[in-house]
Amino acid sequence: MQFDDDANLDTSEVQDVRGSRIPGGRATVGGGLAGLIALLLGLFFGVGPDNLGLSSGGDSPVATASSLAQVQSPCRTGQDANTKEDCRIVAVVNSVQDFWAQEFRRRNGTYTRSPTVFFTGRVATACGTATSAVGPFYCPGDRKVYLDLGFFDELRTKFGSSGGPFAQAYVVAHEYGHHVQDLLGTLGRAQDGRTGANSNAVRVELQADCYAGVWAHHATTTKDESTGRPLITSLTDADIRDGLDAAAAVGDDRIQERFQGRVTPETWTHGSAAQRQQWFHQGYRTGDMARCDTFR
């Protein structure tokens, strides 16, 4: 995956609170066993953290001038995105949101941009306080995506993904799939408390995978609004394989087999490895969000 070296990155779409402290409150899900339970329940890579009953309230960390400089100063152009991980995520956020803004306009709708929050350790959200153990998630309460960049290392080391820049892009695009669902009013279908292979929770997650694939289909043709040129200039078959591999690595069956030694479909919240690959590929192959109806 390559970016236009001369593109201008919009760092306003990322709130960097890495290193900030959260006054008051505490996260009820932490590392170790508690974090593992969170993973087995399927929060990471999804919607939360209210789904797990994490602590509510508490003040949100504020991005200080020094923390904002972590992305604002070094992440200026597509060339920065080609050489620095956090700048690459900024560029992916820009590309994903450019696509959905244009797609909503094409459908006579209005897309509301959502920031991604970079954090370390723990973070306070409108959905409760979460730690890094829960992985990337989207909070519908404040319409923000939350991401500890350390998750990408765990995606390889703990979950067996091949990794790579596009595996990271897939994670980000999946979370913005939830934002799209939120704007369209379909996200609430996952909030009925049910789990299992045919539950609405799984259908919502698979649709977000499909939406990620739809963006990937259009990634190299979606024009950056500041330059009139695509921000992403190259997306190879190897990149897509990395995305499919990441999707499989976070399938409920793979995670359960790895961490609890058995597969229990009745507790699934995100879908199997095969299902996650299937729906990402469906979106990527068709490029049509109308083909992402997982509720049929």
Side-chain angles (χ1 to χ4, degrees):
M1 181 170 64
Q2 290 289 315
F3 300 92
D4 176 4
D5 282 342
D6 297 323
N8 296 317
L9 301 187
D10 183 0
T11 56
S12 70
E13 294 189 343
V14 171
Q15 298 174 0
D16 193 346
V17 298
R18 289 175 290 181
S20 300
R21 297 186 63 185
I22 302 174
R26 65 185 182 87
T28 56
V29 171
L33 179 59
L36 175 58
I37 292 172
L39 295 179
L40 294 180
L41 287 174
L43 170 63
F44 82 102
F45 234 78
V47 183
D50 53 327
N51 290 352
L52 287 182
L54 302 193
S55 61
S56 60
D59 297 323
S60 297
V62 177
T64 63
S66 60
S67 67
L68 286 173
Q70 293 184 57
V71 292
Q72 285 184 344
S73 178
C75 301
R76 297 180 180 275
T77 68
Q79 185 175 21
D80 297 325
N82 284 323
T83 57
K84 303 181 182 74
E85 180 184 64
D86 49 359
C87 300
R88 179 166 62 241
I89 303 306
V90 172
V92 170
V93 170
N94 292 169
S95 174
V96 170
Q97 299 216 90
D98 282 347
F99 167 71
W100 286 116
Q102 294 166 28
E103 180 68 8
F104 270 55
R105 281 199 299 269
R106 190 177 71 83
R107 295 173 176 269
N108 298 315
T110 301
Y111 177 80
T112 303
R113 290 182 180 258
S114 165
T116 284
V117 180
F118 288 171
F119 74 98
T120 52
R122 63 174 180 160
V123 65
T125 80
C127 298
T129 303
T131 72
S132 300
V134 303
F137 62 91
Y138 172 74
C139 173
D142 53 27
R143 287 185 166 173
K144 295 180 181 180
V145 171
Y146 290 87
L147 175 63
D148 185 328
L149 298 184
F151 171 77
F152 295 132
D153 290 331
E154 294 187 349
L155 188 59
R156 290 184 298 101
T157 60
K158 288 188 178 180
F159 302 102
S161 168
S162 59
F166 191 76
Q168 299 174 359
Y170 157 70
V171 172
V172 174
H174 172 96
E175 296 308 329
Y176 277 96
H178 287 311
H179 180 55
V180 170
Q181 292 171 324
D182 195 17
L183 295 176
L184 295 177
T186 57
L187 187 61
R189 296 191 185 191
Q191 307 303 312
D192 59 10
R194 299 179 181 178
T195 61
N198 296 314
S199 66
N200 282 341
V202 167
R203 295 176 190 274
V204 162
E205 296 299 333
L206 296 179
Q207 186 176 63
D209 283 333
C210 188
Y211 286 165
V214 170
W215 161 74
H217 176 95
H218 296 281
T220 58
T221 58
T222 297
K223 293 181 180 179
D224 176 71
E225 296 182 354
S226 67
T227 66
R229 302 188 304 272
L231 176 56
I232 296 178
T233 59
S234 173
L235 199 59
T236 67
D237 290 342
D239 289 324
I240 298 303
R241 285 195 296 272
D242 284 341
L244 288 167
D245 189 70
V250 292
D252 282 324
D253 52 342
R254 291 275 187 92
I255 293 173
Q256 288 178 340
E257 181 66 34
R258 180 180 291 265
F259 291 104
Q260 68 184 24
R262 66 186 187 282
V263 177
T264 53
E266 65 274 12
T267 64
W268 286 3
T269 57
H270 283 61
S272 68
Q275 287 175 312
R276 301 201 71 167
Q277 287 188 318
Q278 173 195 342
W279 282 102
F280 174 81
H281 187 262
Q282 168 87 346
Y284 179 67
R285 179 179 60 83
T286 66
D288 183 0
M289 66 182 300
R291 301 291 295 274
C292 293
D293 186 1
T294 57
F295 295 92
R296 289 184 299 179

